[in-house]
Amino acid sequence: ADPAVLAEAAAHQDRLTKPRGSLGVLEEVAVRLAGSAGVSPWPQEVTGQMVANFLAGGAVANAFAAQMGASVTVVDVGVAGDLPPADGLLVRKVARGTADLSRGPAMTREQVVTALETGITVAADLLAAGARCLVAGDMGIANTTASAALICAFCGADPAVATGRGTGIDEETHTHKIDVVREALDVNRPLREAGPLDTLRALGGLEHAAIAGFILKAAASRVPVILDGVIAGAAALAAAALAPAAVDHCVAGHRSAEPGHRLALDHLGLRPLVDLELRLGEGTGALLAHPLVCAAVRVMHDVATFDSAGVTDKEA
Amino acid sequence: ADPAVLAEAAAHQDRLTKPRGSLGVLEEVAVRLAGSAGVSPWPQEVTGQMVANFLAGGAVANAFAAQMGASVTVVDVGVAGDLPPADGLLVRKVARGTADLSRGPAMTREQVVTALETGITVAADLLAAGARCLVAGDMGIANTTASAALICAFCGADPAVATGRGTGIDEETHTHKIDVVREALDVNRPLREAGPLDTLRALGGLEHAAIAGFILKAAASRVPVILDGVIAGAAALAAAALAPAAVDHCVAGHRSAEPGHRLALDHLGLRPLVDLELRLGEGTGALLAHPLVCAAVRVMHDVATFDSAGVTDKEA
């Protein structure tokens, strides 16, 4: 391969609107067929800017969705700032972010119910429009802390085990993050003991509640729902705690690098289909798994039986 | 989930024309969304019957190809029996199987060159017809022994490490298979030392030579070629030995359960995109990776840059 071409491809990859390196092995594939780099935290204003990018079709999620024949619906359940109205944006803002989970419940009872209902309604509308498979992803800066808290609560895991480094925080920040998760679990102990809905409202983000509702509606409609990374995994724990049979319709799209994600998937009994070190979010890991799910399902419908094809079966 | 529905789905899965369980995790997915079982060796007559099944569109490879928008071309380079002419079947029979590699070279010089040229021609015809990505798979009963021999020769591995159990052979048969590989390496030592083409003819099957030619033509045309399991991996070692730059255009579609496949991929420096315990062949693992490759490439073309989308980049 021409090193100049590879260098140019790698440079272009770095200009794309995603954390560098966040597509894991897929980035190497893309650069070899035409680069890679590091990662670090991002300012909060990026959430609104990335929503605009989704709506303009310029994000990685859009490219993956186009490849897989999927449509992208952006739902604002709790972005802190105001988003300008746009085609394809569902403004369902429940609150401008949640309260500090390390000081008390993140959501009120009304907020968690409204966010759950929002997820249910969004899924219902997509199903009514003809969707036969749903994909649950998220976009948010730094929403792995609440995910870790939910995973600890639902899986009985220790914060030091379930809390990851997100996109490359240092040792000190990681220690602080673990402390926040531990405080959140302690201060919200009475709510956690009150049941799964109260656990979700105590420790979750609005996106967790909305995705949990989305999963519950998909499962109630017997439609598969492909889960993205640690945020959707944490939301699925809440959904499964509310309605255990919901897991039957969940597929783990991919395995995130976050340690809590492995705990969540083990607890749910789900094995990820794609394991390529993706750490982007946006539903990208779930979107990659979509054709694999379709292929698995298609085998059941399309493949000939030994009888119909006249192929000799092995000895029983 | 209704246990009766799951049982029915599992029973149906068992009637499909593929070794039971050969789709690994994907089978669990399919049954959960609507079963699983064991595996053992198959009679040789199955090769011809399965070719007919491919041509009728009833094999797993057909279902996966339909899902991925790919076409299936069946090339007979060395089936022992005669195959009736059919649309979609390219009869390019070089020989009725190869000679016993444990007694001397598997192929004559003319045979290996003709098989290589066949792979080159098939790839050239597909590219001329507009293909922009090639997928290399195979169908053959028990062609992992030659693969193990090629992997030992090209990677310097020991037969006991590189030789797998195929689809579930017992300890005694496995020991015999290792002995066959060791004998093949010993009896063909002068040819192995003569260079990669002679190594390929000494130890390979006709499918290995044809796939090696297929890879070389794809690489020469700068078109990506997605490799299936251990047979394509062994063929890629031969192609890389003949022309090291060919690896730049190879993508490892999946990782086979065969231990030699890991050695081959490590030697080639390729990381598999899908790792779901598939052990079917037919190009199925490579076909599953096709949308992932397309997605990786599409990111480079479709995703907005920070500048074009007005998204704040992280601090450098």
Side-chain angles (χ1 to χ4, degrees), chain A residues 1-2 8-10 12-20 23 25-34 38-43 45-46 49-50 52-53 57-64 66-68 222 224-225 245 247-252 269-277 288-316, chain B residues 1-2 8-10 12-20 23 25-34 38-43 45-46 49-50 52-53 57-64 66-68 222 224-225 245 247-252 269-277 288-316:
Chain A
D2 181 342
E8 194 182 320
H12 179 69
Q13 181 106 252
D14 285 350
R15 288 192 297 270
L16 305 180
T17 48
K18 56 171 190 52
R20 285 169 199 157
L23 289 178
V25 176
L26 289 181
E27 294 200 2
E28 299 166 32
V29 171
V31 168
R32 286 182 55 242
L33 298 177
V39 163
S40 75
W42 298 67
E45 73 208 56
V46 164
Q49 293 168 345
M50 279 303 298
N53 198 17
V60 174
N62 301 104
F64 281 14
Q67 182 63 42
M68 309 312 171
R222 307 180 140 285
V225 56
V247 180
D248 291 348
H249 298 274
C250 292
V251 175
L270 298 175
R271 176 165 164 177
L273 294 180
V274 172
D275 192 358
L276 294 176
E277 299 172 26
L288 285 186
H290 181 254
L292 278 63
V293 173
C294 294
V297 171
R298 188 182 273 258
V299 166
M300 301 291 277
H301 295 285
D302 284 11
V303 175
T305 59
F306 288 105
D307 282 351
S308 72
V311 175
T312 308
D313 196 355
K314 66 179 162 124
E315 289 174 34
Chain B
D2 180 341
E8 194 183 320
H12 180 69
Q13 181 103 253
D14 284 352
R15 288 192 297 268
L16 305 180
T17 47
K18 55 172 189 51
R20 285 168 200 159
L23 290 178
V25 177
L26 289 180
E27 293 200 2
E28 299 167 32
V29 170
V31 169
R32 285 182 55 243
L33 299 178
V39 164
S40 74
W42 298 68
E45 72 207 57
V46 165
Q49 293 168 344
M50 279 303 298
N53 198 17
V60 175
N62 300 106
F64 281 14
Q67 182 62 42
M68 309 312 172
R222 306 182 140 281
V225 55
V247 180
D248 291 346
H249 299 274
C250 292
V251 175
L270 297 175
R271 176 165 163 177
L273 294 180
V274 172
D275 192 359
L276 294 175
E277 298 173 24
L288 285 185
H290 181 254
L292 279 63
V293 173
C294 293
V297 171
R298 189 182 272 258
V299 167
M300 301 291 276
H301 295 286
D302 284 11
V303 176
T305 60
F306 288 106
D307 282 349
S308 71
V311 175
T312 308
D313 196 355
K314 65 176 162 131
E315 289 176 30

Side-chain angles (χ1 to χ4, degrees), chain A residues 193-282:
Chain A
E193 290 169 353
L197 186 62
D198 283 310
T199 302
L200 176 59
R201 90 167 173 97
L203 304 171
L206 290 153
E207 66 272 54
H208 294 102
I211 293 174
F214 190 82
I215 292 168
L216 290 170
K217 177 59 185 169
S221 305
R222 307 180 140 285
V223 166
V225 56
I226 309 178
L227 309 176
D228 196 38
V230 69
I231 287 90
L237 289 172
L242 290 163
V247 180
D248 291 348
H249 298 274
C250 292
V251 175
H254 86 127
R255 189 201 308 277
S256 148
E258 284 288 305
H261 194 213
R262 183 183 294 263
L263 297 172
L265 294 180
D266 286 349
H267 188 84
L268 293 164
L270 298 175
R271 176 165 164 177
L273 294 180
V274 172
D275 192 358
L276 294 176
E277 299 172 26
L278 270 70
R279 46 192 157 84
L280 176 57
E282 303 182 5

Side-chain angles (χ1 to χ4, degrees), chain B residues 8-264:
Chain B
E8 194 183 320
H12 180 69
Q13 181 103 253
D14 284 352
R15 288 192 297 268
L16 305 180
T17 47
K18 55 172 189 51
R20 285 168 200 159
S22 61
L23 290 178
V25 177
L26 289 180
E27 293 200 2
E28 299 167 32
V29 170
V31 169
R32 285 182 55 243
L33 299 178
S36 22
V39 164
S40 74
W42 298 68
Q44 192 182 31
E45 72 207 57
V46 165
T47 302
Q49 293 168 344
M50 279 303 298
V51 168
N53 198 17
F54 288 133
L55 297 170
V60 175
N62 300 106
F64 281 14
Q67 182 62 42
M68 309 312 172
S71 64
V72 177
T73 302
V74 181
V75 186
D76 172 11
V77 282
V79 177
D82 284 320
L83 298 174
D87 281 349
L89 172 65
L90 300 180
V91 182
R92 301 284 185 274
K93 204 187 292 282
V94 177
R96 297 177 179 273
T98 50
D100 183 343
L101 75 172
S102 70
R103 312 250 166 157
M107 291 179 269
T108 66
R109 185 109 191 169
E110 187 183 352
Q111 285 173 337
V112 71
V113 168
T114 304
L116 271 165
E117 287 174 343
T118 299
I120 292 169
T121 304
V122 170
D125 289 348
L126 290 170
L127 295 171
R132 294 179 55 197
C133 179
L134 298 181
V135 175
D138 72 287
M139 165 65 203
I141 302 300
N143 53 2
T144 56
T145 305
S147 298
L150 288 169
I151 291 164
C152 290
F154 286 117
C155 304
D158 188 89
V161 176
T163 308
R165 291 173 177 273
T167 49
I169 56 177
D170 62 20
E171 188 65 35
E172 192 183 346
T173 312
H174 185 223
T175 303
H176 174 66
K177 188 173 172 183
I178 294 170
D179 289 343
V180 168
V181 172
R182 203 178 298 280
E183 287 165 23
L185 291 167
D186 287 345
V187 74
N188 287 296
R189 187 174 302 277
L191 275 176
R192 287 164 51 207
E193 291 169 352
L197 185 62
D198 283 310
T199 302
L200 176 59
R201 91 168 173 96
L203 304 171
L206 291 153
E207 67 273 55
H208 294 102
I211 293 173
F214 189 82
I215 292 168
L216 290 170
K217 177 58 185 170
S221 305
R222 306 182 140 281
V223 167
V225 55
I226 309 179
L227 308 176
D228 197 38
V230 68
I231 288 90
L237 289 172
L242 290 163
V247 180
D248 291 346
H249 299 274
C250 292
V251 175
H254 87 127
R255 187 199 311 277
S256 148
E258 284 287 306
H261 194 214
R262 182 183 295 264
L263 297 172

